[in-house]
Every structure is written in C-alpha cells, then in structure tokens.
Amino acid sequence: MKIAIIGAGGIGGYFGALLAAAGEDVRFVVRSRTLKALREHGLTVESPVTPMQLPTVQATDDPSTVGPADIVIFAVKMGDAQSAAGLLAPLLGPRTLVIPFQNGVEVAQLLSAQVAPAQVASGIAYIPASLRAPGVVVHGGPFARLRFGAREPMQLPALEAFRDACKRAGIDGEIVGDVRRELWEKFVFLVGLSAMTTATRQPVGVIRADADMRAAFRAVMQETFDVGVAEGVGLAEDFVDARLAFIDTLPETMQASMLHDLQAGRPLELPWLSGAVVRLGERHGIATPVNRTILAVLKPFVAGSLPA
C-alpha cells in the first residue's frame, strides 16, 4: 500500500516507521529541517515497546514527487493544518483517502474545504509520543492505537485496506462505527489533561492528588462534554466521571504533549483545545468559564514563547 504521511512528529513518525519497517510504501512529506535530518540520519523511534532505527526512509518536501497515494495520513499539529492542507493536491488520486490524526474536533471540516468531502475520513491516535529532535520520536509507552472511521460509506474499502496494512505492521488499528463519538470522547479527556498539566506545569499524579486541581480537571471536562452534547454527539451521561476515575489509573508522571510543547518553546495547540471549547460553546450559548480561564492564562505562550 502506498501511504503518504504529512508530518513526521510523534504520530506520523511513530506509525510511519512501523508501516515502513513492515514493507509498506511509505513516503514522508516534511519541512526542510526535518527532511535534512531524515536524509542524514534516518528515522529513530525510542520506545520501551517498539524501538527501531530506520537508516533510510523515503522523504521529500515536494509532494509532487510522490504522486497519488492510496492513503494520506495527515499528522501535523493543528497550527500547521491550514498550510499543510495545501500540500495535499499532488497526493490525491480518484481513490485516495485522507485520514487526519490531529488533536481537536475540527480538522475534517478544515480539510473538506480543500479536498472533496468524500475523500476525507476521520482518525484518532492514542499514543504518548513526542519529538526529541527532528527524526527522533520518543514513545513513552505502553500503548499506541489508531482508530479511524468513515464519514461516508464509500470510504470503507480504503479504510479496510489501511486496517490490514496496520495489522501487517503490528499496529493496533481498528475501524470504529461512530467515529465522531470516539473523536469527542478523546477530545473531552484531552482538553482536560492538556489544560491542567500545562496550566499547572505538573504531571497528572500531582493534579489528581489535590482536591482543587482535581475539581478543576473535572470542570474542564464537563464544559467540553456539555459542548459535545450540544453538537449532537451521543456521549454517555457518566462519561466525565468515568474519565475522572480513569486518571487514577495513569502513570503519575504522565503529561500532555501541550506541556512538552510549552517547555520546549514550541507553539501550543491551545486554540483548538480549550479555545475550541470556548468557541463552540459560544455558538450554542453554553458558558465555559474554566476553559476560558485556561485560554487566558496560556494565551501569552500560544506562539511558542517560553515563560521567563
């Protein structure tokens, strides 16, 4: 299967490495700095589960040299999604399916403005991974899962072929029926984890052990849940409490990738996490004061500046 991957960060780099190692025809479309690293040093995955070093990978900063792919994995940060969407056209054939794997709930709509909606599916990545340096992915383990689903029935054959490619690569990849609900289930929890670990600069173990921080974590998720219900998503009534109980099972050192971005001076995905909750809440007349406060507290660092 010919798979083009836009971005070689935690998601694109990790899953792309496994697919390439399994013999799939994987082509990375990346920026020039990452391209230089991939060409000189290959792609490295530091992982307690699947460590690997690929001395050579197929990579370019010019998608026209790749040509139409069977699957395009769209795996850039949300702040880069608009510009990266401009790279898609040369990768598209009549049967190409684009699967975005971004944090947030708005990327499929963004892509559908530039790509035929019938060629845009939905995807969810569950993986604690980040970049140590261009071409070096750190997978914190122990899990790495992909879930994807059709936005139109005609997409199912391509998704099934991609699922089979994942199986050949040893990737836990599954097709889900109600992909919009699963996307929002991740979103509710991710907004809470990202907001609280980044605003406090603390791992989840510290947050869950403190009554005030734990209550704030729940409030962030509750606001996100309420907005999701207003959007027509069928979330279970006890979902927020179930997610709050789930944080007690996580490694105490776990942090959101947004905190890693803050600490490294990189741009934050805040506008598409708590910012999206505020924006969608306004659309439905739902108050989101805790997410709005998180948005205000972290706003000075959205462009990537480090705290003093």
Side-chain angles (χ1 to χ4, degrees), residues 6-7 74 76-77 79-89 110-111 114:
I6 299 182
F74 193 76
V76 299
K77 292 279 191 177
D80 297 321
Q82 187 73 55
S83 60
L87 301 172
L88 286 169
L110 181 152
L111 293 181
Q114 301 196 39

Side-chain angles (χ1 to χ4, degrees), residues 264-294:
R266 294 189 289 261
L268 306 184
E269 290 190 307
L270 181 70
W272 298 276
L273 297 175
S274 286
V277 176
V278 172
R279 187 166 55 250
L280 295 174
E282 289 175 344
R283 178 189 300 172
H284 295 286
I286 296 173
T288 55
V290 186
N291 277 285
R292 188 178 292 276
T293 299
I294 295 292

Side-chain angles (χ1 to χ4, degrees), residues 151-169:
R151 299 175 75 232
E152 297 190 19
M154 64 181 295
Q155 298 173 348
L156 277 173
L159 289 175
E160 289 167 350
F162 180 60
R163 177 199 59 201
D164 293 344
C166 287
K167 288 183 178 179
R168 292 192 294 269

Side-chain angles (χ1 to χ4, degrees), residues 207-225:
I207 295 168
R208 70 191 180 200
D210 179 88
D212 292 326
M213 287 189 280
R214 188 181 183 94
F217 196 125
R218 189 191 187 287
V220 171
M221 291 195 296
Q222 184 65 55
E223 291 178 2
T224 310
F225 174 92

Side-chain angles (χ1 to χ4, degrees), residues 51-132:
M52 67 179 66
Q53 207 285 322
L54 303 181
T56 58
V57 293
Q58 298 188 81
T60 182
D61 57 1
D62 181 3
S64 68
T65 65
V66 176
D70 299 309
I71 294 289
V72 178
I73 294 176
F74 193 76
V76 299
K77 292 279 191 177
M78 276 301 300
D80 297 321
Q82 187 73 55
S83 60
L87 301 172
L88 286 169
L91 304 174
L92 301 178
R95 294 186 176 86
T96 303
L97 188 63
V98 181
I99 310 177
F101 289 99
Q102 265 79 27
N103 293 329
V105 292
E106 300 168 300
V107 69
Q109 291 87 340
L110 181 152
L111 293 181
S112 293
Q114 301 196 39
V115 180
Q119 290 189 278
V120 181
S122 289
I124 308 106
Y126 300 95
I127 180 172
S130 59
L131 280 182
R132 185 184 303 282

